[in-house]
Amino acid sequence: MPGESLTTAQQELYDWLVDFIEDQHHSPSIRQMMQAMGLRSPAPIQSRLRHLQEKGWIKWQEGQARTLQLIEESISGVPVLGAIAAGGLVETFDDVQETLDLNSVLQLKGLFALTVNGDSMIDSFIADGDMVLMEPVNDPSRLRNGTVVSAMVPGLGTTLKHFFRDGSLVRLEAANTAYEPIEIEAEQVHVQGKLAAVWRKT
Amino acid sequence: MPGESLTTAQQELYDWLVDFIEDQHHSPSIRQMMQAMGLRSPAPIQSRLRHLQEKGWIKWQEGQARTLQLIEESISGVPVLGAIAAGGLVETFDDVQETLDLNSVLQLKGLFALTVNGDSMIDSFIADGDMVLMEPVNDPSRLRNGTVVSAMVPGLGTTLKHFFRDGSLVRLEAANTAYEPIEIEAEQVHVQGKLAAVWRKT
DNA sequence: TGTCCTTCAATACATATGTACCTAATTTAG
DNA sequence: CTAAATTAGGTACATATGTATTGAAGGACA
């Protein structure tokens, strides 16, 4: 039945399977699992797979290669869950609940997203691999100091930085002390968008 | 649509592949495609697959069985224009075309949001005031070690922590060295949800 | 302690499977 | 219409792959 607990070896294999399938988008072969687990024989994998299947964590088409699937936990269709999500939750948490309306964000036409490479904004809690939702900027002169923008600097490429205006100059600051600010004439900088939200998938 | 246009035969195969993969959650074998197309020889499938690959509709791991993947196309949501450098160095926009599909997240029934108070998760770049999208958990025994969960601990209230299982115990760790881990019997902890995404409005 | 279950190694086997090659029929493009 | 590209049939082959078997070692637990 689903939810039976796993031994250490079984858990180890299952965790690896989740990772593998998540980024390869297909099932590994038994011998791939064998190598990944550091084993020299397929039998232990067969055993672990059999137990994982009996306990309801995975399934596959017998005799067919690479057809293993994770049995995902069903979110919808469980009556108890609906009750918790709807009413119970509010009572469980003391704080006042607000509504996060992602649709309203989507309706802001022109939003675009960028994948963040590197850690120069780490002190602003924008991490490597995050997605930043950007709102197009038409009039850079109206940007408020400190706004996070994506800007193209000739010779430096496009980067994510805090934007500051300083007379006729523009200063672009990273949120990481390891990086020096960039100062440049305003005309030289092309601000493409300003930060609307940070999105981190997990 | 990905890539160049397809011939009738190629389109027919592609359409069937979409159905099959959506349905079975794994790639069919070449001979399965053969049968489905009503053919008596694998060669035509090989040909169609080669063309589908050259035109950018599919890809697979050569020599490995059932590793075919569809090269997905944008459905709806926010276009991901590329990667941006948050490091010092140059990294202009790539030609990578992805889509941040917020709708798909919204469609996951039961998602709920919490406002983060405090900085106990700051080392995981979840800051005070952020919104975390949580996916309800109805079977805590399936949680993977390290997962960020919202859990209610009797006497301590509801907090956002990294979840670890240690025998019959559950360990809840903050992402901030100023906070001590909590160790408690699994039965005492009520895990309400696991982290689906971090949302930071600006 | 002793028993049962799990894990691991080593080997073996049948076949599922991707791939290659050749030829002919069919479709498409010019 | 002609030539090229695509599609199709047939066959063959190496091997990737799931599966079975046997034996031994390790671990949990009463």
Side-chain angles (χ1 to χ4, degrees), chain A residues 17 20 26 42 59 74 84 105 107 114 137 142-143 160 162 165-166 169 181 188 192 202:
Chain A
L17 287 175
F20 185 97
H26 59 75
K59 61 179 175 181
S74 170
I84 293 174
V105 176
Q107 285 169 9
L114 298 170
V137 168
R142 319 195 75 152
L143 284 172
L160 200 64
H162 285 281
R165 235 191 137 73
D166 191 2
L169 293 179
Q188 306 267 7
Q192 297 160 320
T202 57

Side-chain angles (χ1 to χ4, degrees), chain B residues 42-131:
Chain B
I45 299 296
Q46 296 176 256
S47 169
R48 297 185 196 183
L49 288 179
R50 183 164 34 83
H51 289 119
L52 284 171
Q53 187 225 34
E54 286 168 357
K55 292 177 178 175
W57 293 67
I58 61 173
K59 62 180 174 181
W60 68 89
Q61 305 291 318
E62 282 192 14
Q64 299 192 339
R66 297 169 182 272
T67 55
L68 186 144
Q69 296 175 49
L70 305 177
I71 296 179
E72 296 290 347
E73 165 197 348
S74 59
I75 313 166
S76 65
V78 183
V80 178
L81 296 187
I84 191 172
L89 294 181
V90 184
E91 182 102 15
T92 45
F93 293 92
D94 297 338
D95 50 341
V96 187
Q97 288 296 324
E98 301 173 55
T99 299
L100 175 58
D101 187 7
L102 295 181
N103 283 325
S104 71
V105 175
L106 291 174
Q107 284 170 10
L108 292 174
K109 304 289 186 187
L111 274 197
F112 59 94
L114 300 171
T115 303
V116 175
N117 288 329
D119 59 354
S120 75
M121 296 299 286
I122 201 64
D123 290 343
S124 293
F125 313 122
I126 299 172
D128 187 59
D130 283 359
M131 288 250 190

Side-chain angles (χ1 to χ4, degrees), chain A residues 134-155:
Chain A
M134 308 298 295
E135 184 182 330
V137 168
N138 295 325
D139 188 354
S141 66
R142 319 195 75 152
L143 284 172
R144 288 167 50 195
N145 278 342
T147 305
V148 175
V149 299
S150 66
M152 191 179 67
V153 181

Side-chain angles (χ1 to χ4, degrees), chain A residues 5 7 12 26 40 59 62 78 80-81 91 94 97 106-107 120 128 141 153 156-157 159-160 174 196 200-201:
Chain A
S5 63
T7 66
E12 182 191 16
H26 59 75
R40 310 174 61 180
K59 61 179 175 181
E62 282 192 13
V78 183
V80 179
L81 266 187
E91 298 173 353
D94 303 90
Q97 299 299 301
L106 286 174
Q107 285 169 9
S120 76
D128 187 59
S141 66
V153 181
L156 286 178
T159 62
L160 200 64
R200 185 179 311 141
K201 285 190 276 193

Side-chain angles (χ1 to χ4, degrees), chain A residues 2-5 11 14-16 18-19 22-27 32 55-58 61 64-69 71-76 78 81 84-85 89 92-103 105-106 111-122 124-128 130-133 149-152 155-161 174 179 192 195-202, chain B residues 20 23-27 29 32 59 61 63-69 76-94 98-103 105-106 108-115 117 121-128 130-133 135-145 148 150-152 157-159 165 190 192-202:
Chain A
E4 283 187 60
S5 63
Q11 183 81 52
Y14 182 80
D15 286 347
W16 182 82
V18 173
D19 285 339
E22 184 171 327
D23 67 63
Q24 300 294 323
H25 296 99
H26 59 75
S27 159
Q32 282 178 314
K55 291 176 180 176
W57 294 65
I58 61 173
Q61 305 290 318
Q64 298 192 340
R66 297 169 183 272
T67 55
L68 185 145
Q69 297 175 48
I71 295 180
E72 299 291 345
E73 175 177 295
S74 170
I75 305 169
S76 60
V78 183
L81 266 187
I84 293 174
L89 186 67
T92 305
F93 294 86
D94 303 90
D95 301 333
V96 178
Q97 299 299 301
E98 305 172 32
T99 302
L100 173 61
D101 187 5
L102 293 182
N103 283 321
V105 176
L106 286 174
L111 273 197
F112 61 95
L114 298 170
T115 303
V116 175
N117 287 331
D119 60 354
S120 76
M121 295 300 286
I122 202 63
S124 294
F125 313 122
I126 299 172
D128 187 59
D130 283 0
M131 289 239 188
V132 284
L133 292 182
V149 299
S150 66
M152 191 179 67
L156 286 178
T158 303
T159 62
L160 200 64
K161 293 279 190 300
Y179 296 86
Q192 297 160 320
L195 185 64
V198 178
W199 181 259
R200 185 179 311 141
K201 285 190 276 193
T202 57
Chain B
F20 185 97
D23 203 65
Q24 303 291 324
H25 294 101
H26 59 76
S27 159
S29 69
Q32 282 178 313
K59 62 180 174 181
Q61 305 291 318
Q64 299 192 339
R66 297 169 182 272
T67 55
L68 186 144
Q69 296 175 49
S76 65
V78 183
V80 178
L81 296 187
I84 191 172
L89 294 181
V90 184
E91 182 102 15
T92 45
F93 293 92
D94 297 338
E98 301 173 55
T99 299
L100 175 58
D101 187 7
L102 295 181
N103 283 325
V105 175
L106 291 174
L108 292 174
K109 304 289 186 187
L111 274 197
F112 59 94
L114 300 171
T115 303
N117 288 329
M121 296 299 286
I122 201 64
D123 290 343
S124 293
F125 313 122
I126 299 172
D128 187 59
D130 283 359
M131 288 250 190
V132 284
L133 290 183
E135 182 181 328
V137 167
N138 63 357
D139 188 354
S141 68
R142 316 194 71 156
L143 284 172
R144 299 181 58 206
N145 281 339
V148 175
S150 66
M152 191 180 69
T158 302
T159 59
R165 188 171 20 252
H190 178 217
Q192 295 157 323
K194 64 180 176 182
L195 185 64
V198 178
W199 182 260
R200 186 180 310 141
K201 285 190 273 191
T202 55

